[in-house]
Amino acid sequence: MGAGNMARALGGGLAGRDEFALVATDPVAEAIAAFREATGGAAADDVASLLAQSDVVIVAVKPQVLPEVLASMKPHVDGRHLVVSIVAGGPGRTFTRALFAGVRVVRAMPNTPALVGEGMTVLVGGGSADRADRETAEEIFSAVGRAVTVDDEHMLDAVTAVSGSGPGFLFAYAEAMLQAADEVGLPADLARMLVQQTILGSARLWLQSAEGVDVLRERVTSPGGTTQAGLEALGAHGFGAAIGAAVEAASRRSRELSGG
């Protein structure tokens, strides 16, 4: 339901797997064409057609249009459907109220690195969703990265702030690094390579290390050296406080979108 970037990312991860057949609907013809090209999936003419063909329905629309989309789904959803929502700020109760009390629904919060198979998704069951439903949803999102299920839906506001919005925060850091590199005289092409590979290599080092991130940071920080000087400058300019404020603001906005 919706054929935007995240739908194409998920569809691309699932394409060619025998247990899934893909079909999408979207009011934007260009989005449907892009979905079909990226995934090899089919197009449904309308919501009724989509739901008639589907056992698992992934709702991948903007929060602003969710009420309209749920109203269009209501006459066609029944107990055989598993509804998976990736709508930011769309709590499970929104689906049970708009569709029916026993609807099987799983909320998922993926992030944009799913576009390159490196996503992070957190899921939580709602309504009448059982363990098998949660496992099905986890299998879907594991096709485009890592996926984990939690029990408390309220955690998704914090998840949205950390991993959902996190790529935006990291890209903002990269932009600032590129600007700083330019100011100290590095050519743009070289600076981009340095920043990209440094972020990638640091993430892989952390993933593959048994040490905590604080230990890794200490190991690159020689007393009186360049890293220490840079970290002291970051602290003096409120780096940690700024990150904390960003996560809190994103989490608060997620709660607002949820009506909580």
Side-chain angles (χ1 to χ4, degrees):
M1 188 76 66
N5 287 335
M6 194 58 69
R8 292 196 293 274
L10 287 172
L14 298 171
R17 296 178 58 168
D18 292 340
E19 64 269 40
F20 294 103
L22 305 174
V23 59
T25 186
D26 194 293
V28 180
E30 292 81 359
I32 286 291
F35 177 86
R36 297 186 68 177
E37 180 179 357
T39 70
D45 292 334
D46 53 31
V47 172
S49 174
L50 178 76
L51 290 170
Q53 300 177 62
S54 303
D55 297 307
V56 180
V57 184
I58 299 175
V59 182
V61 300
K62 299 294 185 184
Q64 298 89 329
V65 302
L66 181 60
E68 176 185 347
V69 168
L70 292 177
S72 71
M73 291 174 62
K74 183 177 175 61
H76 311 290
V77 174
D78 58 36
R80 76 181 180 89
H81 292 108
L82 169 61
V83 178
V84 180
S85 170
I86 63 171
V87 182
R93 65 178 180 272
T94 299
F95 289 79
T96 55
R97 290 172 180 172
L99 299 175
F100 62 94
V103 66
R104 295 154 55 213
V105 59
V106 173
R107 281 190 68 191
M109 176 47 60
N111 62 11
T112 55
L115 291 165
V116 292
E118 293 289 351
M120 181 68 242
T121 303
V122 177
L123 306 106
V124 62
S128 296
D130 58 19
R131 179 177 178 179
D133 293 328
R134 294 191 295 272
E135 290 176 350
T136 295
E138 193 167 318
E139 180 184 4
I140 289 171
F141 288 93
S142 293
V144 290
R146 301 176 71 177
V148 62
T149 300
V150 299
D151 295 326
D152 184 359
E153 185 175 8
H154 292 95
M155 290 178 62
L156 291 192
D157 293 321
V159 167
T160 299
V162 173
S163 62
S165 298
F169 303 153
L170 188 60
F171 292 142
Y173 168 80
E175 285 183 298
M177 285 288 283
L178 290 174
Q179 179 63 38
D182 176 71
E183 292 173 358
V184 296
L186 287 178
D189 288 349
L190 176 59
R192 183 173 63 252
M193 182 189 303
L194 294 178
V195 174
Q196 288 174 332
Q197 189 60 35
T198 298
I199 292 174
L200 175 63
S202 299
R204 285 183 174 166
L205 175 61
W206 187 13
L207 281 168
Q208 295 175 18
S209 175
E211 305 288 356
V213 69
D214 56 333
V215 175
L216 296 176
R217 189 257 307 153
E218 289 171 357
R219 285 183 176 172
V220 76
T221 309
S222 301
T226 59
T227 305
Q228 181 178 348
L231 289 172
E232 289 175 352
L234 284 175
H237 286 79
F239 180 74
I243 296 298
V247 171
E248 170 56 31
S251 182
R252 181 173 61 251
R253 181 55 180 155
S254 180
R255 291 194 299 271
E256 292 170 353
L257 289 170
S258 304

